[in-house]
Amino acid sequence: MFRQNIILKIKEQLDKDVNFSSSDFSIKTEYKSLKIVYEYDNEYFFQVDVPYEISKLSKTQKETTTLGMITKHMEREYEAYEFSGKIRPGQVAVEERIQFEGPDKIFNYLKTWLENLWVEITIQPQVRKAKELEEQIIDIKSKCENISEDYFTRDEADALKQKLDILEQNFREKLEIEIQDKILLFQALDELHKELEKLKSQTTSLNKKNWFKSFGVKIYTWASKEENRKFLKDTKDFIKPFLPDSIDILP
């Protein structure tokens, strides 16, 4: 079991953190391990196993003569406590194993874990939005499954491109009225223009079913962004002329 002075130092580090306090965590000690659990979501933890004894280790070191001509590889023996454990979240993976030598490094790993934890919990609103968007995209694609897999004729492709120009103009007129901030207006219209240009080029490379999937996903993704959504209340009316009667891609 960890000595109490180490437990106290851990609590001090938690209290000194800019985002957390020791009261945000429960610290559990058992015979062989210490586990710090985030109080408000037990999914997140920092666990370290206590070594039974100090280990005899060896390390290869390079030694160069004073003339710089000969380099030897020497084995150096030393003693250290070997620690191992698990953290969630990790630096890269959701959960990672950790291994290090010496009790002082506990605090380095703890600091990194707290940084990872703060990032993880503060991005949750964006994660939820991304999941909601992903679910809507899956729904949009499923609504297009019954559309013909024929390719557009040249006349049909030209007609679609003209409709896309009209759609862009409708959105432009709408947003120029609604958005007073010129920078935001330019960003919204520039992004829309790029997406519509992609759709124009896809009229010759995608079949009808896949083109409508691409159309639905691109328009929905653009229109659902928070900075656009609050200004766009006529989106359904704008895109309705594109869609077969049986398809409604916007919730």
Side-chain angles (χ1 to χ4, degrees), residues 21 25 28 54-58 76 86 117 196 208 222:
S21 302
F25 302 90
K28 304 174 183 178
I54 196 166
S55 300
K56 292 184 178 180
L57 307 168
S58 64
R76 183 177 69 85
K86 292 187 296 184
L117 176 59
L196 296 182
K208 293 180 179 180
W222 177 79

Side-chain angles (χ1 to χ4, degrees), residues 99-113:
Q99 191 167 357
F100 56 92
E101 297 173 6
D104 290 342
K105 290 187 179 178
I106 292 173
F107 305 102
N108 296 335
Y109 276 89
L110 179 59
K111 181 178 183 295
T112 300
W113 177 70

Side-chain angles (χ1 to χ4, degrees), residues 61 87 204 213:
Q61 287 186 324
I87 57 174
T204 56
K213 284 183 181 181

Side-chain angles (χ1 to χ4, degrees), residues 166-212:
I166 294 171
L167 179 65
E168 182 173 8
Q169 183 61 32
N170 288 339
F171 276 126
R172 178 181 294 277
E173 292 174 357
K174 172 71 174 176
L175 293 176
E176 284 177 347
I177 295 173
E178 297 288 342
I179 302 179
Q180 302 302 314
D181 188 314
K182 297 302 181 183
I183 294 177
L184 290 179
L185 175 63
F186 173 79
Q187 290 174 343
L189 293 177
D190 182 62
E191 185 179 353
L192 175 65
H193 177 75
K194 290 176 180 177
E195 293 301 295
L196 296 182
E197 288 300 308
K198 294 174 188 176
L199 286 166
K200 288 179 184 179
S201 66
Q202 288 175 339
T203 57
T204 56
S205 60
L206 297 180
N207 63 34
K208 293 180 179 180
K209 178 169 74 173
N210 288 332
W211 189 89
F212 279 109

